[in-house]
Amino acid sequence: MRTDDDSWGIAGKVGSTALATAMVRAAENVRSDGLFTDPFAQRFLDAAVTQGWRNPYATEAWHRNDYEDPATAAFRQASTDCAVCRTRFIDDFLRAGTDRQVVLLAAGLDTRAWRLPWTEGNVVYELDQPGVLDFKSETMAAHAIRPSARRCAVPVDLRDDWPAALLAAGFDSTAPAVWVAEGLLPYLPPTGQDVLFERITSLSAPGSRLIVDVYGPEFYEPERLRAMFARMNQTTREEVYSTEELFFSGDRADVAEWLAGHGWTTTAAPTLDVMAGLGRPAPDDMPAGALSDFFVSAHRVAQG
């Protein structure tokens, strides 16, 4: 059951979702038509196995869809393609800016600090649970892999006072920054989502930017969540996902509207349009909850 003060390491229920994302990125890395290159994702999977992690999926190759049920195969493929397109969309968003400070909220096993072509002076702050960041740091250090930007790991729970931890790590709230909240919002309670954006806004100088993937209100309906997790479990060889252990349900604020009312200009790109534009269109009959609704990008234009 998700609680307001729970925690996790890399092998736990939530930590395991970071490994699932690493599986998606590792598989994309070996595709001839890959939308991005992540030569490090497989390192995390190998390291997790040596630490006793057992891949819960029905096949060792994430990109295979060898399921008897066509609907299960379609769900897996569409959700995988959505995660791949999300990675590419955010990569492009970051490349389009000249931000010196980059903040990855709930960074998980993201490797942008290593794989993107940062310029001298860039600093990438990675915020996440200590167990996840320790696992990442130890894995990369074991292979002598150095980041292409100055990477600053900030081990903190996003439901705690993470702004204080970020400032203590050297973040300059008087200078613009770019914020990345990728795959994060469902893991926060509705009030926690509001607090997250309040804190981001309070730390954002004019010129700051933000990118976040957003799910619609129907996604958070308890019955729809249960149905989605049932479909997700059909793709595994054991029950991995449950609503109570991963996501918070309940009504929450519209992200674009909230940001627009707090000094940001916003643009919402429909997920289906992004996927089609990147050559990974989703099926027309995709069930609700498999994909996000929008990628919301924002630009900070005013204080207050």
Side-chain angles (χ1 to χ4, degrees):
M1 176 76 70
R2 290 304 310 276
T3 61
D4 289 341
D5 60 353
D6 55 6
S7 61
W8 50 83
I10 196 61
K13 292 285 187 178
V14 179
S16 188
T17 65
L19 289 167
T21 301
M23 292 178 72
V24 170
R25 291 171 175 164
E28 189 69 11
N29 195 57
V30 300
R31 286 183 57 144
S32 60
D33 61 345
L35 295 180
F36 57 83
T37 301
D38 188 344
F40 312 117
Q42 186 63 45
R43 305 276 193 181
F44 299 131
L45 304 177
D46 295 340
V49 170
T50 64
Q51 295 185 20
W53 180 69
R54 179 175 179 268
N55 177 8
Y57 299 96
T59 172
E60 295 302 316
W62 173 267
H63 58 288
R64 287 174 56 195
N65 281 318
D66 49 355
Y67 301 102
E68 293 182 3
D69 178 14
T72 299
F75 174 84
R76 165 69 80 83
Q77 188 62 60
S79 57
T80 298
D81 285 341
C82 183
V84 166
C85 291
R86 181 181 71 188
T87 299
R88 170 61 182 271
F89 188 82
I90 294 174
D91 284 357
D92 290 346
F93 179 82
L94 292 173
R95 288 192 181 99
T98 57
D99 317 278
R100 309 299 285 179
Q101 300 184 113
V102 181
V103 185
L104 305 181
L105 299 160
L109 299 180
D110 182 283
T111 62
R112 291 186 175 96
W114 288 268
R115 64 180 181 81
L116 290 187
W118 303 107
T119 59
E120 184 177 356
N122 281 122
V123 55
V124 178
Y125 296 95
E126 295 190 347
L127 280 65
D128 212 322
Q129 292 273 349
V132 174
L133 291 180
D134 287 347
F135 172 81
K136 180 195 284 190
S137 298
E138 292 164 5
T139 300
M140 298 300 262
H143 296 281
I145 302 171
R146 298 178 61 84
S148 56
R150 183 167 70 86
R151 172 182 177 253
C152 184
V154 184
V156 64
D157 192 309
L158 291 182
R159 292 163 297 177
D160 295 335
D161 188 5
W162 61 262
L166 181 60
L167 291 168
F171 180 81
D172 182 4
S173 62
T174 67
V178 59
W179 303 85
V180 177
E182 181 178 10
L184 169 60
L185 298 188
Y187 296 94
L188 297 175
T191 55
Q193 175 179 300
D194 293 342
V195 171
L196 176 77
F197 290 117
E198 288 169 1
R199 289 173 167 178
I200 291 173
T201 300
S202 70
L203 293 169
S204 295
S208 294
R209 301 189 302 144
L210 166 68
I211 184 75
V212 57
D213 53 316
V214 175
Y215 291 84
E218 70 282 354
F219 172 85
Y220 294 100
E221 296 173 2
E223 289 303 317
R224 287 183 182 267
L225 282 176
R226 292 189 187 99
M228 181 190 68
F229 282 114
R231 287 191 295 271
M232 292 170 69
N233 281 322
Q234 289 173 359
T235 70
T236 67
R237 59 191 175 200
E238 60 190 59
E239 183 172 328
V240 175
Y241 301 105
S242 70
T243 306
E244 293 79 8
E245 292 178 328
L246 282 178
F247 292 168
F248 286 93
S249 59
D251 296 334
R252 54 187 68 207
D254 180 283
V255 172
E257 290 182 1
W258 192 98
L259 291 169
H262 291 80
W264 299 81
T265 60
T266 63
T267 301
T271 298
L272 294 178
D273 290 353
V274 171
M275 294 177 66
L278 291 172
R280 302 286 177 89
D284 293 335
D285 58 349
M286 201 64 224
L291 313 175
S292 63
D293 280 14
F294 297 98
F295 297 103
V296 173
S297 56
H299 185 264
R300 183 81 164 123
V301 295
Q303 297 283 13

